[in-house]
Amino acid sequence: TLQNSESKAQSKLLQQRDLLSSLFENVALGITLWGQNGKLLYANKGFTELTGYSKDQIKNLEDWFMYAYPDPEYRKQVLSDWDKSSSTNEAIRQFKVVCRSDVKKDIEFRGTFLKDGRALVTLSDMTWRVQVEHEKISSQKLIEEHKRLSLVGQIAGKMAHDFNNILGIIMGNTELILLKSKDSDTNKIVNLIFEQTLRGKNLTKNLIAFAKDQEPNQEFFNLNEKIELVINLLKKDLEGIEVITEYSKNIPDL
């Protein structure tokens, strides 16, 4: 009876071991067990699928750090971080790992340090999450830049309207002088004022158009018209430069 009980207990232990082994092999995580001397005691299939390295390649911690962190400075940083963690029972860290074929991945490590000196470490691929975070930050920066440009455009538009009113008064008075003045020298100066004022009005017209473009809005536009607008805005900077424009009539709206 005692022998039967021992046999049943041993059979139950074997079943539990097989169940745990099956779970470790099929779980979507890399699972490793490291000895006190740094030897790799166990690595599941998930570890190889994640990193590309087999247990034959990674025999100990020295192998792992050389393969996973080939850059000496970064390796030193990782080692230092893990040394600080070893004083606690558990640690969660995330590092950039060079996997097989030089594929770089962001991997999260969860380490549990056992009383006998062994360490159970799981590995999770966080590359997709890091990429999403980077894209989110880039999108936020882009939104902030659009807001800034929108504000600049609104200010430019308001200033252009006010400046337009000032120019309107100048133009009106120069036109009155030209109607009444008979002195050719005076008319020459007033004509110059009038021409420059007219140029100023055209500039403010472009600024108002620019301001409208900066307001967040999605609509189709003609590329040729936008190029013409930019050339007009840069007219002062283009003085002395011959600008040749060749517009196609068949360009679809964007």
Side-chain angles (χ1 to χ4, degrees):
T1 306
L2 181 62
Q3 190 175 5
N4 287 338
S5 296
E6 286 178 353
S7 179
K8 285 180 181 178
Q10 190 174 7
S11 177
K12 190 173 182 180
L13 283 171
L14 287 171
Q15 287 177 357
Q16 289 176 340
R17 190 188 70 180
D18 290 342
L19 178 62
L20 281 173
S21 178
S22 178
L23 285 171
F24 280 6
E25 284 301 315
N26 293 290
V27 73
L29 286 171
I31 298 177
T32 57
L33 182 65
W34 303 85
Q36 190 174 9
N37 58 356
K39 185 179 179 181
L40 179 60
L41 303 175
Y42 172 79
N44 73 339
K45 185 171 65 176
F47 170 78
T48 302
E49 288 176 350
L50 177 57
T51 65
Y53 301 125
S54 66
K55 195 178 174 184
D56 293 333
Q57 289 173 289
I58 310 295
K59 293 183 174 62
N60 50 53
L61 280 172
E62 187 179 348
D63 290 340
W64 168 250
F65 280 105
M66 289 297 291
Y67 276 109
Y69 316 107
D71 178 63
E73 287 300 318
Y74 189 61
R75 189 191 312 138
K76 187 177 178 181
Q77 179 185 331
V78 175
L79 280 165
S80 174
D81 210 349
W82 272 117
D83 284 342
K84 293 174 185 175
S85 305
S86 60
S87 60
T88 61
N89 292 330
E90 292 185 2
I92 301 173
R93 294 290 185 273
Q94 188 168 307
F95 303 110
K96 284 195 176 294
V97 174
V98 178
C99 301
R100 196 168 183 178
S101 302
D102 289 331
V103 175
K104 293 182 181 179
K105 293 182 181 179
D106 291 279
I107 295 178
E108 182 183 81
F109 297 84
R110 289 177 178 263
T112 301
F113 303 98
L114 308 176
K115 291 180 180 179
D116 60 3
R118 293 181 299 171
L120 180 67
V121 181
T122 62
L123 295 79
S124 306
D125 189 355
M126 307 301 288
T127 308
W128 63 274
R129 183 181 291 179
V130 172
Q131 287 175 345
V132 168
E133 285 297 320
H134 285 165
E135 287 172 6
K136 184 180 176 182
I137 292 168
S138 297
S139 297
Q140 287 173 340
K141 286 181 178 178
L142 191 60
I143 289 168
E144 289 301 318
E145 181 65 15
H146 284 170
K147 286 181 179 178
R148 189 185 69 81
L149 286 173
S150 177
L151 182 60
V152 169
Q154 290 171 26
I155 293 169
K158 288 176 182 177
M159 287 179 65
H161 277 296
D162 292 338
F163 194 54
N164 223 18
N165 292 335
I166 296 167
L167 291 173
I169 295 169
I170 296 171
M171 284 188 73
N173 282 284
T174 51
E175 284 181 308
L176 287 173
I177 294 170
L178 286 171
L179 286 172
K180 295 180 180 180
S181 175
K182 304 298 181 182
D183 185 71
S184 60
D185 290 336
T186 302
N187 289 346
K188 191 182 292 184
I189 295 169
V190 174
N191 262 317
L192 181 62
I193 295 169
F194 182 82
E195 287 171 7
Q196 293 304 309
T197 308
L198 188 61
R199 184 181 172 189
K201 281 187 71 69
N202 288 331
L203 179 60
T204 56
K205 181 183 176 183
N206 288 333
L207 280 172
I208 292 167
F210 170 76
K212 287 179 180 177
D213 282 347
Q214 295 311 305
E215 294 175 5
N217 185 33
Q218 286 191 343
E219 61 182 17
F220 286 97
F221 66 89
N222 183 276
L223 184 61
N224 294 340
E225 290 177 3
K226 296 298 178 185
I227 292 172
E228 193 64 38
L229 172 63
V230 172
I231 291 171
N232 286 331
L233 285 169
L234 296 174
K235 191 169 284 184
K236 180 69 177 174
D237 296 317
L238 295 173
E239 282 184 3
I241 298 171
E242 183 184 6
V243 179
I244 300 170
T245 55
E246 295 181 4
Y247 296 134
S248 173
K249 295 180 180 178
N250 302 319
I251 297 178
D253 285 352
L254 303 181

